[in-house]
Amino acid sequence: MKEVSLGSLLLLCSISWGASELGSISESVSSRFQVNASDHLIFSSAKNDVDQTAPPTQTLMNEGKLHSEYGYWNGDIHFTNRYEPDPNKRSSPTFNLEKKSLRFESKDWQFILGDSHPQLGRGIALSLFSEPVFGIDNTLEGAVGKYRPENFELSFFGGRVNVLSNPVAINPIDMRMKDRNVLMSGGTVNYKLNSDSQMGAYYLMTLNQRKSDFDLDKRFQTVGFHWSQDNMADSIDLYLESNIMILDKDRKSTRLNSSHLGISY
């Protein structure tokens, strides 16, 4: 049944509060503690363009985000609510905890538990990103670790792809993840050759799992390399990335090669 949105009410609200605003808290603590909150509310009325006599479908969608920081630590919570006043439809859960994360970050180390947006190279092999306008927020729900001393970075990650269960958008894009899990793990090594040049390599393994029977019907393995050189000439930068992906499906292997060459000025 195709639906067309006839109207919407959009409400955006952002609240920021920091401990530094309270004079009773010592300066050493107040400079390290902060809380931010935002809320997004949409009311839509969609009419069935096939059956013009049918009453419009009304939906109230809400999402909230909380972000807090304290010293080397910070955390995020993202939740959604959806209400459709239609007795013939099964209502969605009142509260959906979409994303959550706890992060530790110092000069040389970073650890993330929960949801994050990892990317390999310029995103040819992997790029998990957020686009609120289309109801997209693809994250890795798991763990990420990075060690990054001067001119060097070593990282690892593992978990499952987590998409929004109730996106708050007028026309959200269906990510088609309701019947399967996508599990992945990998790592990267990057080295800064000089102030204008760096190179790196990465490995990624992805498993596709059916939720119905927990079988693994696909496995992807990707190995890639990238190199960049800034200021090769007057205002010209060069970037090169190439990878090899091996797909295992039904005991058969297929190798796919991809590469990217970018020049900017």
Side-chain angles (χ1 to χ4, degrees):
M1 181 176 67
K2 186 177 180 180
E3 295 183 350
V4 178
S5 177
L6 297 181
S8 64
L9 174 65
L10 176 65
L11 175 65
L12 291 172
C13 178
S14 179
I15 301 173
S16 177
W17 177 77
S20 58
E21 299 171 6
L22 299 181
S24 60
I25 301 179
S26 65
E27 182 179 355
S28 60
V29 175
S30 64
S31 62
R32 299 167 60 188
F33 181 72
Q34 185 176 358
V35 176
N36 298 290
S38 64
D39 191 80
H40 181 198
L41 178 66
I42 293 180
F43 173 78
S44 69
S45 181
K47 190 174 182 180
N48 190 334
D49 61 350
V50 177
D51 185 3
Q52 296 292 333
T53 62
T57 301
Q58 297 180 341
T59 306
L60 179 64
M61 298 171 283
N62 177 73
E63 70 175 343
K65 296 182 180 181
L66 296 174
H67 175 77
S68 62
E69 298 179 4
Y70 183 79
Y72 295 128
W73 299 86
N74 66 81
D76 291 276
I77 293 177
H78 178 192
F79 63 89
T80 59
N81 309 90
R82 180 183 293 262
Y83 175 67
E84 297 178 354
D86 188 345
N88 298 322
K89 288 186 177 181
R90 184 179 178 182
S91 60
S92 302
T94 305
F95 178 84
N96 296 279
L97 182 59
E98 301 280 5
K99 311 289 180 180
K100 61 282 179 189
S101 65
L102 178 64
R103 302 167 180 252
F104 171 86
E105 187 164 1
S106 64
K107 179 182 177 182
D108 295 337
W109 294 92
Q110 181 187 58
F111 296 100
I112 305 174
L113 292 177
D115 292 279
S116 60
H117 298 88
Q119 177 175 305
L120 299 178
R122 296 288 175 92
I124 296 178
L126 175 66
S127 178
L128 297 179
F129 63 95
S130 173
E131 183 51 70
V133 174
F134 300 105
I136 299 175
D137 190 1
N138 300 332
T139 57
L140 179 72
E141 185 181 46
V144 176
K146 290 184 179 181
Y147 174 58
R148 48 191 185 192
E150 187 176 2
N151 298 328
F152 179 78
E153 179 181 280
L154 176 66
S155 68
F156 66 88
F157 58 88
R160 73 177 186 94
V161 176
N162 182 23
V163 302
L164 293 175
S165 59
N166 276 317
V168 178
I170 295 298
N171 294 305
I173 294 178
D174 184 6
M175 301 308 297
R176 304 185 183 278
M177 293 282 291
K178 296 179 181 179
D179 61 343
R180 63 191 178 101
N181 286 319
V182 176
L183 312 176
M184 60 177 55
S185 62
T188 65
V189 177
N190 296 306
Y191 182 71
K192 189 174 183 179
L193 302 173
N194 52 56
S195 59
D196 294 327
S197 179
Q198 59 179 335
M199 61 184 299
Y202 54 79
Y203 170 78
L204 172 67
M205 181 173 68
T206 305
L207 303 175
N208 186 77
Q209 179 187 56
R210 300 190 192 99
K211 289 184 178 180
S212 58
D213 53 13
F214 297 101
D215 283 345
L216 299 175
D217 60 344
K218 290 182 182 179
R219 182 177 67 175
F220 302 87
Q221 296 190 75
T222 305
V223 178
F225 166 84
H226 59 89
W227 171 77
S228 65
Q229 176 65 55
D230 298 336
N231 301 317
M232 289 194 65
D234 187 20
S235 302
I236 296 180
D237 302 332
L238 178 65
Y239 179 80
L240 173 65
E241 181 175 349
S242 180
N243 63 52
I244 298 175
M245 182 180 71
I246 300 176
L247 167 61
D248 297 327
K249 181 180 181 182
D250 300 329
R251 298 181 181 180
K252 296 180 180 180
S253 297
T254 303
R255 192 178 78 171
L256 303 173
N257 299 332
S258 64
S259 61
H260 171 75
L261 174 64
I263 301 176
S264 60
Y265 59 90

